Amino acid sequence: MLRVALFSCFLVVGACAATAAPSGPPPARMVPQGMSMQADCSGPGEAGCLLDAAWQAAGLLPADKQARLKPAFAEATRGLKDKTLASKWQMRLGQVSLPQPAPDFAREQAQAAIAEYGWEGFFQRARQGQAPLNMGRPEIMAAAIDMAPNAMERLRLIDMMFSFAGVPKPGTMGQFSQDDFERASFSHVLAEQMMEDCKLDEFDRARDRTAAPQSIRYELWRARIAGGAGKLAPKIRQGDGSTDTTFVRHVLEGYGPILRQGYCPG
């Protein structure tokens, strides 16, 4: 899950060094034949069409970056209900090792804190930023949402998270600070949760406070609630103009909930 990755990055200072390019001949360019750059993917074949659009965007990257994206495509296409589409992707990707699931540190911390301090104690420690919520507070609180004893307490926790996302601490406005990072993290996990909960207004409220509200990932998450992910295909195919894999990864992360869960009702 995304919130696990955010929590892990919060705990480890520094960036991960890029791995060396794989040995052997470079993979073929990831550009499907006969695909119009302007065609959207609306309609019954949306899933296959949008995955092809992401594949085409990956094809704009250097060959070594394309190779690094194959495990992400394998993860996104694993468990596709359309067996024909699943077979197509298995043949396209070949033998690819799926990424190992990361330990859910945030959930473990939330469970331990609630067990030790109780639900009210968890709230108090969250409000005051006390251990274990002195580090990774947004991700730990997000993990605790589904541990709430009832719907009212669940809403109470979400409301507290929105309050933390919205107002800078005194003395931190107009400068980059740890508070800025934490508020953006609160906004991100809230956007993910509101997408899961199919709440459009709350999703927009959270998304507007993230560090990159125009990210393709958020556009696809919003489409899960509002519909019309297929209309984003032309934007996906053209990539973001960089040689980085982030854009394609965000496409796969953004469309993943629709592949797994479908669109929200209504």
Short mmCIF file of all heavy atoms in Angstrom, two decimals, residues 210-262:
data_model
loop_
_atom_site.label_atom_id
_atom_site.label_comp_id
_atom_site.label_asym_id
_atom_site.label_seq_id
_atom_site.Cartn_x
_atom_site.Cartn_y
_atom_site.Cartn_z
N THR A 210 -2.51 18.37 -1.02
CA THR A 210 -1.32 17.54 -1.22
C THR A 210 -0.20 18.36 -1.86
O THR A 210 -0.41 19.47 -2.34
CB THR A 210 -1.64 16.34 -2.13
OG1 THR A 210 -2.05 16.80 -3.42
CG2 THR A 210 -2.73 15.46 -1.52
N ALA A 211 0.98 17.76 -1.90
CA ALA A 211 2.13 18.46 -2.48
C ALA A 211 2.03 18.56 -4.00
O ALA A 211 2.64 19.46 -4.58
CB ALA A 211 3.41 17.73 -2.08
N ALA A 212 1.28 17.66 -4.64
CA ALA A 212 1.18 17.67 -6.11
C ALA A 212 -0.25 17.33 -6.52
O ALA A 212 -0.52 16.23 -7.02
CB ALA A 212 2.16 16.68 -6.72
N PRO A 213 -1.19 18.24 -6.31
CA PRO A 213 -2.61 17.92 -6.56
C PRO A 213 -2.92 17.55 -8.00
O PRO A 213 -3.94 16.89 -8.25
CB PRO A 213 -3.34 19.19 -6.13
CG PRO A 213 -2.31 20.27 -6.11
CD PRO A 213 -1.03 19.60 -5.77
N GLN A 214 -2.09 17.97 -8.96
CA GLN A 214 -2.36 17.66 -10.37
C GLN A 214 -1.75 16.33 -10.81
O GLN A 214 -1.82 15.99 -11.99
CB GLN A 214 -1.82 18.80 -11.26
CG GLN A 214 -2.45 20.15 -10.96
CD GLN A 214 -3.97 20.10 -10.98
OE1 GLN A 214 -4.57 19.53 -11.89
NE2 GLN A 214 -4.59 20.69 -9.97
N SER A 215 -1.20 15.57 -9.89
CA SER A 215 -0.60 14.28 -10.23
C SER A 215 -1.61 13.37 -10.92
O SER A 215 -2.79 13.33 -10.56
CB SER A 215 -0.09 13.59 -8.95
OG SER A 215 0.20 12.23 -9.19
N ILE A 216 -1.15 12.62 -11.90
CA ILE A 216 -2.02 11.68 -12.62
C ILE A 216 -2.60 10.64 -11.67
O ILE A 216 -3.70 10.13 -11.89
CB ILE A 216 -1.24 11.01 -13.78
CG1 ILE A 216 -2.19 10.22 -14.69
CG2 ILE A 216 -0.13 10.11 -13.23
CD1 ILE A 216 -3.17 11.06 -15.46
N ARG A 217 -1.88 10.32 -10.62
CA ARG A 217 -2.39 9.36 -9.64
C ARG A 217 -3.68 9.88 -9.02
O ARG A 217 -4.67 9.14 -8.91
CB ARG A 217 -1.34 9.12 -8.54
CG ARG A 217 -1.82 8.23 -7.41
CD ARG A 217 -0.67 7.85 -6.50
NE ARG A 217 0.08 9.00 -6.03
CZ ARG A 217 1.25 8.92 -5.38
NH1 ARG A 217 1.82 7.75 -5.19
NH2 ARG A 217 1.86 10.01 -4.97
N TYR A 218 -3.71 11.16 -8.63
CA TYR A 218 -4.93 11.72 -8.03
C TYR A 218 -6.05 11.84 -9.06
O TYR A 218 -7.23 11.67 -8.73
CB TYR A 218 -4.63 13.08 -7.41
CG TYR A 218 -3.66 13.01 -6.25
CD1 TYR A 218 -2.57 13.88 -6.18
CD2 TYR A 218 -3.82 12.08 -5.23
CE1 TYR A 218 -1.67 13.83 -5.13
CE2 TYR A 218 -2.93 12.02 -4.17
CZ TYR A 218 -1.85 12.89 -4.14
OH TYR A 218 -0.95 12.83 -3.09
N GLU A 219 -5.69 12.15 -10.31
CA GLU A 219 -6.72 12.22 -11.35
C GLU A 219 -7.40 10.87 -11.53
O GLU A 219 -8.63 10.79 -11.69
CB GLU A 219 -6.11 12.70 -12.67
CG GLU A 219 -5.66 14.15 -12.65
CD GLU A 219 -5.34 14.67 -14.05
OE1 GLU A 219 -6.23 14.62 -14.91
OE2 GLU A 219 -4.20 15.10 -14.27
N LEU A 220 -6.63 9.80 -11.50
CA LEU A 220 -7.20 8.47 -11.63
C LEU A 220 -7.97 8.07 -10.38
O LEU A 220 -9.02 7.42 -10.47
CB LEU A 220 -6.10 7.45 -11.95
CG LEU A 220 -5.57 7.54 -13.38
CD1 LEU A 220 -4.21 6.87 -13.50
CD2 LEU A 220 -6.57 6.92 -14.36
N TRP A 221 -7.48 8.43 -9.22
CA TRP A 221 -8.24 8.16 -7.99
C TRP A 221 -9.58 8.88 -8.02
O TRP A 221 -10.61 8.32 -7.64
CB TRP A 221 -7.43 8.59 -6.77
CG TRP A 221 -6.38 7.61 -6.35
CD1 TRP A 221 -6.11 6.40 -6.93
CD2 TRP A 221 -5.47 7.77 -5.26
NE1 TRP A 221 -5.07 5.79 -6.27
CE2 TRP A 221 -4.66 6.60 -5.24
CE3 TRP A 221 -5.24 8.76 -4.32
CZ2 TRP A 221 -3.65 6.41 -4.29
CZ3 TRP A 221 -4.25 8.58 -3.39
CH2 TRP A 221 -3.45 7.42 -3.37
N ARG A 222 -9.56 10.12 -8.47
CA ARG A 222 -10.82 10.87 -8.55
C ARG A 222 -11.77 10.21 -9.54
O ARG A 222 -12.99 10.16 -9.31
CB ARG A 222 -10.56 12.32 -8.97
CG ARG A 222 -11.77 13.23 -8.80
CD ARG A 222 -11.46 14.66 -9.24
NE ARG A 222 -12.47 15.58 -8.76
CZ ARG A 222 -13.65 15.77 -9.33
NH1 ARG A 222 -13.98 15.09 -10.43
NH2 ARG A 222 -14.51 16.64 -8.81
N ALA A 223 -11.20 9.68 -10.63
CA ALA A 223 -12.04 9.03 -11.64
C ALA A 223 -12.71 7.78 -11.07
O ALA A 223 -13.78 7.39 -11.55
CB ALA A 223 -11.20 8.67 -12.85
N ARG A 224 -12.11 7.14 -10.09
CA ARG A 224 -12.78 5.98 -9.49
C ARG A 224 -14.12 6.39 -8.87
O ARG A 224 -15.09 5.64 -8.90
CB ARG A 224 -11.90 5.33 -8.42
CG ARG A 224 -12.63 4.14 -7.78
CD ARG A 224 -11.81 3.32 -6.83
NE ARG A 224 -12.64 2.22 -6.39
CZ ARG A 224 -13.29 2.17 -5.22
NH1 ARG A 224 -13.15 3.16 -4.33
NH2 ARG A 224 -14.06 1.15 -4.91
N ILE A 225 -14.17 7.60 -8.34
CA ILE A 225 -15.41 8.10 -7.72
C ILE A 225 -16.34 8.69 -8.77
O ILE A 225 -17.54 8.39 -8.79
CB ILE A 225 -15.09 9.16 -6.66
CG1 ILE A 225 -14.01 8.66 -5.68
CG2 ILE A 225 -16.35 9.55 -5.89
CD1 ILE A 225 -13.51 9.73 -4.73
N ALA A 226 -15.78 9.54 -9.64
CA ALA A 226 -16.60 10.30 -10.57
C ALA A 226 -16.78 9.61 -11.92
O ALA A 226 -17.66 10.00 -12.69
CB ALA A 226 -15.98 11.69 -10.79
N GLY A 227 -15.96 8.61 -12.23
CA GLY A 227 -16.05 7.92 -13.50
C GLY A 227 -15.16 8.57 -14.56
O GLY A 227 -14.62 9.66 -14.38
N GLY A 228 -15.01 7.84 -15.68
CA GLY A 228 -14.33 8.42 -16.83
C GLY A 228 -12.83 8.32 -16.83
O GLY A 228 -12.16 9.18 -17.44
N ALA A 229 -12.26 7.29 -16.22
CA ALA A 229 -10.80 7.16 -16.26
C ALA A 229 -10.28 7.03 -17.68
O ALA A 229 -9.18 7.49 -18.00
CB ALA A 229 -10.36 5.95 -15.42
N GLY A 230 -11.07 6.43 -18.55
CA GLY A 230 -10.63 6.23 -19.93
C GLY A 230 -10.31 7.51 -20.66
O GLY A 230 -9.50 7.52 -21.61
N LYS A 231 -10.92 8.61 -20.26
CA LYS A 231 -10.67 9.89 -20.92
C LYS A 231 -9.26 10.42 -20.66
O LYS A 231 -8.82 11.35 -21.34
CB LYS A 231 -11.71 10.91 -20.46
CG LYS A 231 -13.14 10.56 -20.86
CD LYS A 231 -14.13 11.57 -20.32
CE LYS A 231 -15.57 11.20 -20.69
NZ LYS A 231 -16.56 12.14 -20.14
N LEU A 232 -8.58 9.83 -19.68
CA LEU A 232 -7.22 10.28 -19.37
C LEU A 232 -6.17 9.60 -20.25
O LEU A 232 -4.98 9.90 -20.13
CB LEU A 232 -6.91 10.00 -17.89
CG LEU A 232 -7.75 10.78 -16.88
CD1 LEU A 232 -7.55 10.23 -15.48
CD2 LEU A 232 -7.40 12.26 -16.92
N ALA A 233 -6.60 8.70 -21.12
CA ALA A 233 -5.63 7.93 -21.92
C ALA A 233 -4.68 8.80 -22.74
O ALA A 233 -3.46 8.55 -22.73
CB ALA A 233 -6.37 6.96 -22.83
N PRO A 234 -5.16 9.82 -23.48
CA PRO A 234 -4.20 10.64 -24.25
C PRO A 234 -3.14 11.29 -23.37
O PRO A 234 -1.96 11.35 -23.76
CB PRO A 234 -5.11 11.69 -24.91
CG PRO A 234 -6.45 11.03 -25.01
CD PRO A 234 -6.56 10.21 -23.76
N LYS A 235 -3.53 11.75 -22.21
CA LYS A 235 -2.57 12.36 -21.29
C LYS A 235 -1.57 11.33 -20.79
O LYS A 235 -0.37 11.62 -20.65
CB LYS A 235 -3.31 12.99 -20.10
CG LYS A 235 -2.40 13.67 -19.10
CD LYS A 235 -3.21 14.39 -18.03
CE LYS A 235 -2.30 15.14 -17.06
NZ LYS A 235 -3.07 15.91 -16.06
N ILE A 236 -2.04 10.12 -20.54
CA ILE A 236 -1.15 9.07 -20.06
C ILE A 236 -0.14 8.68 -21.13
O ILE A 236 1.05 8.55 -20.86
CB ILE A 236 -1.98 7.85 -19.61
CG1 ILE A 236 -2.77 8.19 -18.33
CG2 ILE A 236 -1.08 6.63 -19.38
CD1 ILE A 236 -3.79 7.15 -17.94
N ARG A 237 -0.61 8.53 -22.37
CA ARG A 237 0.28 8.09 -23.44
C ARG A 237 1.45 9.05 -23.69
O ARG A 237 2.55 8.63 -24.03
CB ARG A 237 -0.51 7.93 -24.75
CG ARG A 237 -1.45 6.76 -24.76
CD ARG A 237 -2.00 6.49 -26.15
NE ARG A 237 -3.09 5.54 -26.07
CZ ARG A 237 -4.37 5.87 -26.11
NH1 ARG A 237 -4.72 7.13 -26.26
NH2 ARG A 237 -5.31 4.95 -26.02
N GLN A 238 1.22 10.32 -23.50
CA GLN A 238 2.28 11.29 -23.80
C GLN A 238 3.29 11.42 -22.66
O GLN A 238 4.33 12.06 -22.82
CB GLN A 238 1.69 12.65 -24.12
CG GLN A 238 1.04 13.35 -22.95
CD GLN A 238 0.37 14.65 -23.35
OE1 GLN A 238 0.21 14.93 -24.54
NE2 GLN A 238 -0.04 15.44 -22.37
N GLY A 239 3.03 10.78 -21.51
CA GLY A 239 3.96 10.85 -20.39
C GLY A 239 4.07 12.25 -19.82
O GLY A 239 3.24 13.12 -20.10
N ASP A 240 5.10 12.47 -19.03
CA ASP A 240 5.27 13.81 -18.43
C ASP A 240 6.50 14.52 -18.97
O ASP A 240 6.90 15.56 -18.45
CB ASP A 240 5.34 13.70 -16.90
CG ASP A 240 6.57 12.97 -16.41
OD1 ASP A 240 7.26 12.34 -17.24
OD2 ASP A 240 6.83 13.01 -15.19
N GLY A 241 7.12 13.95 -20.00
CA GLY A 241 8.27 14.61 -20.60
C GLY A 241 9.59 14.36 -19.90
O GLY A 241 10.63 14.85 -20.35
N SER A 242 9.59 13.60 -18.82
CA SER A 242 10.82 13.33 -18.10
C SER A 242 11.35 11.95 -18.48
O SER A 242 10.70 11.19 -19.20
CB SER A 242 10.58 13.39 -16.59
OG SER A 242 9.91 12.22 -16.14
N THR A 243 12.53 11.63 -17.99
CA THR A 243 13.08 10.29 -18.20
C THR A 243 12.98 9.47 -16.92
O THR A 243 13.67 8.46 -16.76
CB THR A 243 14.56 10.37 -18.65
OG1 THR A 243 15.31 11.08 -17.64
CG2 THR A 243 14.68 11.09 -19.98
N ASP A 244 12.11 9.89 -16.02
CA ASP A 244 11.93 9.22 -14.74
C ASP A 244 10.74 8.27 -14.82
O ASP A 244 9.79 8.52 -15.57
CB ASP A 244 11.71 10.27 -13.64
CG ASP A 244 11.77 9.67 -12.26
OD1 ASP A 244 12.88 9.47 -11.75
OD2 ASP A 244 10.70 9.38 -11.69
N THR A 245 10.75 7.21 -14.01
CA THR A 245 9.67 6.23 -14.03
C THR A 245 8.47 6.64 -13.18
O THR A 245 7.45 5.95 -13.18
CB THR A 245 10.17 4.87 -13.53
OG1 THR A 245 10.60 4.98 -12.16
CG2 THR A 245 11.32 4.35 -14.39
N THR A 246 8.57 7.75 -12.45
CA THR A 246 7.54 8.10 -11.48
C THR A 246 6.17 8.25 -12.12
O THR A 246 5.17 7.77 -11.58
CB THR A 246 7.91 9.41 -10.76
OG1 THR A 246 9.15 9.23 -10.08
CG2 THR A 246 6.85 9.79 -9.74
N PHE A 247 6.08 8.91 -13.27
CA PHE A 247 4.78 9.14 -13.90
C PHE A 247 4.07 7.82 -14.18
O PHE A 247 2.89 7.65 -13.85
CB PHE A 247 4.96 9.93 -15.20
CG PHE A 247 3.67 10.15 -15.96
CD1 PHE A 247 2.81 11.18 -15.61
CD2 PHE A 247 3.31 9.32 -17.00
CE1 PHE A 247 1.62 11.39 -16.29
CE2 PHE A 247 2.12 9.51 -17.70
CZ PHE A 247 1.27 10.54 -17.34
N VAL A 248 4.78 6.87 -14.78
CA VAL A 248 4.14 5.59 -15.10
C VAL A 248 3.77 4.84 -13.83
O VAL A 248 2.69 4.23 -13.74
CB VAL A 248 5.07 4.73 -15.99
CG1 VAL A 248 4.43 3.37 -16.28
CG2 VAL A 248 5.36 5.46 -17.30
N ARG A 249 4.61 4.89 -12.83
CA ARG A 249 4.28 4.24 -11.55
C ARG A 249 3.01 4.86 -10.96
O ARG A 249 2.16 4.15 -10.41
CB ARG A 249 5.45 4.35 -10.57
CG ARG A 249 6.67 3.56 -11.00
CD ARG A 249 7.79 3.65 -9.97
NE ARG A 249 9.02 3.07 -10.48
CZ ARG A 249 9.30 1.77 -10.50
NH1 ARG A 249 8.41 0.91 -10.02
NH2 ARG A 249 10.45 1.33 -10.98
N HIS A 250 2.88 6.17 -11.05
CA HIS A 250 1.69 6.83 -10.53
C HIS A 250 0.45 6.46 -11.33
O HIS A 250 -0.65 6.36 -10.77
CB HIS A 250 1.90 8.34 -10.52
CG HIS A 250 2.75 8.82 -9.38
ND1 HIS A 250 3.05 10.14 -9.18
CD2 HIS A 250 3.37 8.13 -8.38
CE1 HIS A 250 3.81 10.27 -8.11
NE2 HIS A 250 4.01 9.06 -7.61
N VAL A 251 0.60 6.24 -12.64
CA VAL A 251 -0.53 5.77 -13.44
C VAL A 251 -1.00 4.41 -12.92
O VAL A 251 -2.20 4.18 -12.71
CB VAL A 251 -0.15 5.66 -14.93
CG1 VAL A 251 -1.25 4.95 -15.72
CG2 VAL A 251 0.09 7.05 -15.52
N LEU A 252 -0.05 3.51 -12.71
CA LEU A 252 -0.40 2.16 -12.26
C LEU A 252 -0.99 2.19 -10.85
O LEU A 252 -1.94 1.47 -10.54
CB LEU A 252 0.82 1.25 -12.32
CG LEU A 252 1.40 1.03 -13.73
CD1 LEU A 252 2.68 0.23 -13.65
CD2 LEU A 252 0.38 0.35 -14.63
N GLU A 253 -0.43 3.03 -9.98
CA GLU A 253 -0.97 3.17 -8.62
C GLU A 253 -2.35 3.82 -8.64
O GLU A 253 -3.22 3.49 -7.83
CB GLU A 253 -0.01 3.99 -7.77
CG GLU A 253 1.31 3.29 -7.47
CD GLU A 253 2.35 4.23 -6.89
OE1 GLU A 253 2.04 5.42 -6.68
OE2 GLU A 253 3.49 3.78 -6.67
N GLY A 254 -2.54 4.75 -9.57
CA GLY A 254 -3.82 5.44 -9.65
C GLY A 254 -4.93 4.58 -10.21
O GLY A 254 -6.08 4.64 -9.75
N TYR A 255 -4.60 3.76 -11.21
CA TYR A 255 -5.62 2.93 -11.84
C TYR A 255 -5.82 1.60 -11.10
O TYR A 255 -6.85 0.94 -11.28
CB TYR A 255 -5.26 2.66 -13.30
CG TYR A 255 -6.40 2.10 -14.12
CD1 TYR A 255 -7.62 2.78 -14.20
CD2 TYR A 255 -6.27 0.91 -14.81
CE1 TYR A 255 -8.68 2.27 -14.94
CE2 TYR A 255 -7.32 0.40 -15.56
CZ TYR A 255 -8.52 1.08 -15.62
OH TYR A 255 -9.57 0.58 -16.35
N GLY A 256 -4.87 1.24 -10.27
CA GLY A 256 -4.94 -0.02 -9.54
C GLY A 256 -6.25 -0.24 -8.78
O GLY A 256 -6.85 -1.32 -8.87
N PRO A 257 -6.73 0.74 -8.00
CA PRO A 257 -7.99 0.53 -7.29
C PRO A 257 -9.18 0.24 -8.21
O PRO A 257 -10.09 -0.51 -7.84
CB PRO A 257 -8.19 1.84 -6.52
CG PRO A 257 -6.80 2.37 -6.33
CD PRO A 257 -6.08 2.01 -7.59
N ILE A 258 -9.19 0.83 -9.40
CA ILE A 258 -10.28 0.56 -10.35
C ILE A 258 -10.15 -0.87 -10.87
O ILE A 258 -11.16 -1.59 -11.01
CB ILE A 258 -10.27 1.58 -11.49
CG1 ILE A 258 -10.50 2.99 -10.94
CG2 ILE A 258 -11.34 1.24 -12.53
CD1 ILE A 258 -10.42 4.10 -11.98
N LEU A 259 -8.93 -1.30 -11.16
CA LEU A 259 -8.73 -2.67 -11.61
C LEU A 259 -9.17 -3.66 -10.55
O LEU A 259 -9.79 -4.69 -10.85
CB LEU A 259 -7.24 -2.91 -11.95
CG LEU A 259 -6.72 -2.32 -13.25
CD1 LEU A 259 -5.21 -2.54 -13.35
CD2 LEU A 259 -7.42 -2.93 -14.46
N ARG A 260 -8.84 -3.39 -9.28
CA ARG A 260 -9.13 -4.34 -8.20
C ARG A 260 -10.55 -4.28 -7.71
O ARG A 260 -11.18 -5.31 -7.42
CB ARG A 260 -8.18 -4.08 -7.02
CG ARG A 260 -6.71 -4.37 -7.32
CD ARG A 260 -5.88 -4.27 -6.04
NE ARG A 260 -5.93 -2.94 -5.45
CZ ARG A 260 -5.08 -1.98 -5.73
NH1 ARG A 260 -4.12 -2.16 -6.62
NH2 ARG A 260 -5.18 -0.79 -5.14
N GLN A 261 -11.09 -3.06 -7.60
CA GLN A 261 -12.38 -2.87 -6.94
C GLN A 261 -13.49 -2.36 -7.84
O GLN A 261 -14.65 -2.36 -7.46
CB GLN A 261 -12.21 -1.90 -5.75
CG GLN A 261 -11.20 -2.34 -4.72
CD GLN A 261 -10.71 -1.19 -3.86
OE1 GLN A 261 -9.55 -0.82 -3.88
NE2 GLN A 261 -11.62 -0.60 -3.10
N GLY A 262 -13.12 -1.88 -9.01
CA GLY A 262 -14.11 -1.27 -9.89
C GLY A 262 -14.42 0.16 -9.48
O GLY A 262 -13.81 0.72 -8.56
#
